[in-house]
Amino acid sequence: MHKLYLVMVGLPARGKSRLARRICGGLAADGFRSAIFNNGDVRRQLLGAESTLPEFYSPDNAEGRRIREEICQRNLARAREWLNREGDVAILDATNVSRTRRAFIERSLTDHPVLFLECVNEDPVLLNACIRNKTRLPEYAGYTEDEALASFVGRIGYYEAIYEPVGREQYWLCVDTMAGRILAERPCEGSPYYPAIREIVVSWWVQSLYLARHGQTEYNVQGRIGGDPPLTARGRMQAEALALHLRDQKLDWVFTSTRMRSHETAAPLLRGRYDTHVMAFKEFDEIWAGDCEGMCYSEIRETMPEVTAGRNADKYHYAYPHGESYAMLRERVRRGLQRALFLAGELPVMLVGHQAINRVILSLFLRQREEDIPYINVPQNQYYHISLTPRRKLIERISY
Ligand code: F6P
């Protein structure tokens, strides 16, 4: 059986290590032995704080360059030795952003094919969040947050100065890590690992997602849509019950919409969870009913019968006057979800959404027929628990 070197490429904070770990786990589930050789780990072991300074990464710093090349060579040797002894896929995790570095790797590793996997992610929200996350690494322990930020941004700048996209190498795959989309590729044909890696890259990868709808609001009681109403007493009780039900569940990330009912539902869940990250995304705001915002369904039926008729005929594609349709929601919800899952990585996530939003999220996982999506059941006393990998699909609805 062939073996493979998989070499990560990309600027810092583009999701390389996360994808490397995912590929390693995914290949293991397929019965392939893979291991990660991370240059950063070796650097931190060998050099400690000295290599945290941005100048260490300057292309003009000959000594820094020499040390980093040495670390690269050391990992190439370890990977080669491991692959020839017992492994199937050796994953080399480092920036490898210059053509010179990649040409060197191709010249050094001639016993098995070398596939370069370039990770691209220019989403400003994610980039910002990922860079902030980096400042919490132990190597920045002696820095204030602003100092760490400046130092890391300086480091990225040095890598940007020498960055050249893949293209001249023999085998490569260029991936948008947030969207899980292949942007371009020169496939490693005949390798049994190539299709497996490709599948891992493009699949939804959800370790554990709890998807709840906000509790009852006054608008819900009146059959009124949209707006920004607070929870009713019953809605607050539902929020408490959800928090109680999940009290022993680790939730590292909680995502809400920007609406009050979503925040109020998340509040009891967050009580005492001091390390939980919380983010509100506009992408998770409820379907915008345009001219019908704040109206009751009965009022719409009487005063704007064409809206009711339009929705009855094709609820998925019908857009409210000056508002949205379910079809229009799909892209923004997908973007929000991809961001949320990228940020959370392998950690458990809670998302407190809305009726239409949660239907669209579920449809992304369920491959539902379009006409059925606007009717998916999203009750206020049950949540969905979702866990998905290319080999596992778990979607359960749980009462609380
Ligand atoms: O009724 C609550 C609500 O979240 C509204 O704000 C929203 O317009 C509606 O649900 C979406 O559900 P449907 O598409 O079935 O009207």
Side-chain angles (χ1 to χ4, degrees):
M1 164 105 70
H2 310 283
K3 297 183 180 234
L4 181 75
Y5 292 105
L6 179 67
V7 181
M8 308 304 286
V9 175
L11 293 167
R14 262 59 178 187
K16 293 185 301 298
S17 297
R18 176 188 313 249
L19 186 57
R21 283 197 300 276
R22 189 169 288 180
I23 291 173
C24 194
L27 290 175
D30 279 347
F32 300 133
R33 283 154 303 182
S34 66
I36 299 174
F37 301 87
N38 182 301
N39 287 13
D41 289 345
V42 178
R43 169 180 63 76
R44 281 181 284 270
Q45 267 165 24
L46 287 180
L47 301 171
E50 184 196 326
S51 67
T52 300
L53 299 172
E55 290 66 40
F56 179 74
Y57 302 88
S58 164
D60 301 329
N61 176 351
E63 180 60 1
R65 250 185 9 241
R66 186 189 64 73
I67 297 173
R68 282 185 294 125
E69 290 316 312
E70 215 174 284
I71 292 171
C72 169
Q73 286 177 30
R74 187 186 284 219
N75 261 343
L76 296 186
R78 286 172 63 216
R80 186 191 302 113
E81 197 262 327
W82 178 79
L83 210 53
N84 288 322
R85 185 162 34 89
E86 57 184 301
D88 295 317
V89 179
I91 304 174
L92 289 144
D93 184 10
T95 51
N96 301 316
V97 288
S98 75
R99 189 106 59 202
T100 319
R101 162 71 76 88
R102 297 195 295 269
F104 173 75
I105 294 175
E106 278 187 323
R107 280 199 310 278
S108 308
L109 302 174
T110 51
D111 44 355
H112 303 292
V114 178
L115 169 66
F116 291 94
L117 201 172
E118 181 178 17
C119 297
V120 176
N121 166 27
E122 294 310 321
D123 182 276
V125 175
L126 276 193
L127 212 50
N128 206 315
C130 286
I131 292 173
R132 285 201 174 269
N133 265 352
K134 294 271 184 189
T135 64
R136 296 189 193 112
L137 288 175
E139 68 178 298
Y140 287 110
Y143 290 59
T144 65
E145 195 181 342
D146 284 348
E147 283 166 358
L149 203 63
S151 170
F152 196 72
V153 168
R155 185 192 301 190
I156 294 180
Y158 286 130
Y159 279 114
E160 273 169 343
I162 56 162
Y163 182 38
E164 295 161 286
V166 294
R168 289 232 294 268
E169 296 69 19
Q170 192 174 5
Y171 305 117
W172 52 267
L173 192 58
C174 178
V175 172
D176 178 333
T177 42
M178 183 189 97
R181 190 167 293 151
I182 311 272
L183 299 173
E185 63 188 315
R186 186 175 293 159
C188 193
E189 270 136 15
S191 166
Y193 312 112
Y194 193 81
I197 291 170
R198 219 181 174 287
E199 184 185 38
I200 294 166
V201 166
V202 300
S203 299
W204 281 108
W205 204 288
V206 184
Q207 213 61 33
S208 201
L209 168 66
Y210 296 86
L211 179 66
R213 185 179 165 196
H214 62 81
Q216 187 197 60
T217 67
E218 210 52 63
Y219 272 28
N220 293 147
V221 176
Q222 299 162 0
R224 210 175 276 286
I225 63 174
D228 195 13
L231 298 185
T232 58
R234 184 181 163 82
R236 287 196 298 277
M237 267 169 53
Q238 287 165 334
E240 291 292 342
L242 177 65
L244 187 67
H245 186 90
L246 291 171
R247 67 187 179 282
D248 297 326
Q249 180 56 52
K250 210 167 150 310
L251 293 174
D252 293 84
W253 286 82
V254 172
F255 295 95
T256 65
S257 73
T258 66
R259 299 302 179 178
M260 189 168 16
R261 53 199 187 276
S262 168
H263 291 180
E264 287 186 352
T265 306
L269 264 172
L270 290 166
R271 221 179 279 135
R273 295 184 191 256
Y274 304 110
D275 295 330
T276 296
H277 305 268
V278 192
M279 282 184 101
F281 283 180
K282 263 192 94 51
E283 282 84 351
F284 298 142
D285 283 358
E286 182 56 309
I287 188 168
W288 181 248
D291 295 349
C292 299
E293 275 288 306
M295 289 174 77
C296 291
Y297 286 111
S298 55
E299 213 179 323
I300 298 174
R301 215 169 21 246
E302 280 156 31
T303 61
M304 303 171 83
E306 68 289 358
V307 172
T308 307
R311 294 197 98 211
N312 285 345
D314 184 356
K315 191 173 172 188
Y316 183 75
H317 291 102
Y318 182 83
Y320 282 104
H322 303 112
E324 290 178 306
S325 64
Y326 275 82
M328 287 158 74
L329 282 185
R330 203 174 161 88
E331 272 322 296
R332 76 161 155 103
V333 168
R334 179 196 286 275
R335 189 173 58 240
L337 191 63
Q338 283 168 335
R339 273 188 185 150
L341 295 175
F342 185 97
L343 284 168
E346 289 104 26
L347 301 170
V349 181
M350 161 58 77
L351 198 163
V352 183
H354 300 260
Q355 177 152 260
I357 293 300
N358 290 10
R359 285 173 174 158
V360 173
I361 290 175
L362 288 164
S363 77
L364 293 171
F365 301 138
L366 290 168
R367 295 181 184 279
Q368 204 90 8
R369 285 184 311 183
E370 286 182 350
E371 68 250 44
D372 295 329
I373 295 172
Y375 299 97
I376 297 175
N377 189 13
V378 184
Q380 279 166 319
N381 61 349
Q382 294 176 355
Y383 63 85
Y384 283 87
H385 177 229
I386 299 156
S387 179
L388 296 175
T389 70
R391 293 183 136 244
R392 182 182 66 227
K393 185 165 180 171
L394 170 82
I395 302 183
E396 48 181 350
R397 200 168 75 216
I398 300 167
S399 300
Y400 59 86

